[in-house]
Structures are given as C-alpha cells and as structure tokens.
Amino acid sequence: MRIPFLANWLHRDDTEHGAAGLAAALAEDPEGIGELFAECELLRVQARSAGLELDQTPASLEALDQLMPRWRRDPEAVPWLGNDAGFYLGTVIVRTVPGTGWQIRPGGQPVIRLASGRELNVVESGVSWAMTGSPELSQAYAEASEG
C-alpha cells in the first residue's frame, strides 16, 4: 500500500501540524487512511490466537465481544489493544453503514461521522472495551447503525 503522506505525518513538528496533516491526508486519500486505520495488527493477533479471523463485519464485532480478555493481564498492552479495537470498530462502521466516514478533530483525534452529523469517538469506545468490556463493540456498532 502506498501512502505518500505518511512520512511527513510521522515527522510532524507539533500536534497541531500533525492533526492538520492527518486531516489533509484524509481529504486527499480517504481510502488509504481507511486502510491504515483498518490494520489493527495487535487486535488481529489476539483474535487469531483465539481462532477468530476479523473480516470487517458486524458479526466479527460480536465475536470479539465473546473473547476471554486475557490481554488485561498486561496493563501496558490494554491501551494499544483498545486503540486497535476502536479503529476496527470504526472500520466496520464505515464499511457497512451508509453515509459514514472518518473525520479528524482539530486535536488530531480520529472519529466517525454518521450521516446524521453525529460524531462517534470509536477509539475511546475501543479503549473502554479493552479495559472493562463495556461498551460492547457490537452494541456501539448497533447504536451507530441506527443513526
């Protein structure tokens, strides 16, 4: 996958510039940014170790909700896994709920914008799921798909 903005974004001077660069990259190449957000390697490794293949469907969110949270034994891994879970949740929403898309808030936080204009902080939901199991990813998806 060729993502031309990535080197510039990784070498940003400050958060403001980085957020603007990411927002510009999203405007230029929404599909490329979506692919980047869909990587979720740590989450995919956890899922594979439990025999689950993530196929970017709502059913996979339900399956993730059923996993035993063995990652909670490693408090350093929880935020990273939660971040991945949020990006995965966002990826499923964007790919299956019409009229949704990624947006970047001024501080650099990626969110999902629904067709109604409402924003969902899917990364925050993912981190909460990884830490406590709530909200369930499938529940967050159901709320997003209702509008």
Side-chain angles (χ1 to χ4, degrees):
M1 167 179 28
R2 186 171 121 6
I3 305 176
F5 70 87
L6 192 55
N8 291 337
W9 184 73
L10 289 174
H11 300 291
R12 64 196 180 277
D13 292 330
D14 59 29
T15 303
E16 193 76 22
H17 176 68
L22 184 56
L26 181 61
E28 284 177 29
D29 186 10
E31 199 170 300
I33 295 293
E35 290 299 317
L36 181 65
F37 289 164
E39 290 288 319
C40 312
E41 189 59 30
L42 183 58
L43 181 66
R44 290 180 187 283
V45 167
Q46 287 288 330
R48 262 187 239 114
S49 71
L52 173 62
E53 200 62 40
L54 300 182
D55 60 3
Q56 300 173 354
T57 64
S60 66
L61 295 172
E62 292 174 17
L64 282 169
D65 288 337
Q66 301 304 312
L67 291 180
M68 290 294 295
R70 291 185 174 93
W71 57 83
R72 291 191 192 135
R73 296 179 193 151
D74 183 358
E76 290 183 23
V78 170
W80 295 103
L81 183 72
N83 193 63
D84 274 10
F87 280 126
Y88 185 72
L89 170 62
T91 297
V92 174
I93 292 170
V94 167
R95 293 189 177 174
T96 61
V97 178
T100 61
W102 288 103
Q103 297 287 310
I104 307 299
R105 288 185 177 161
Q109 178 68 45
V111 296
I112 298 295
R113 182 172 299 255
L114 302 176
S116 67
R118 192 173 116 220
E119 290 183 350
L120 298 176
N121 188 336
V122 290
V123 172
E124 185 177 273
S125 295
V127 170
S128 180
W129 172 83
M131 292 176 73
T132 67
S134 178
E136 290 185 335
L137 298 175
S138 58
Q139 176 187 0
Y141 175 83
E143 290 172 10
S145 66
E146 291 173 357

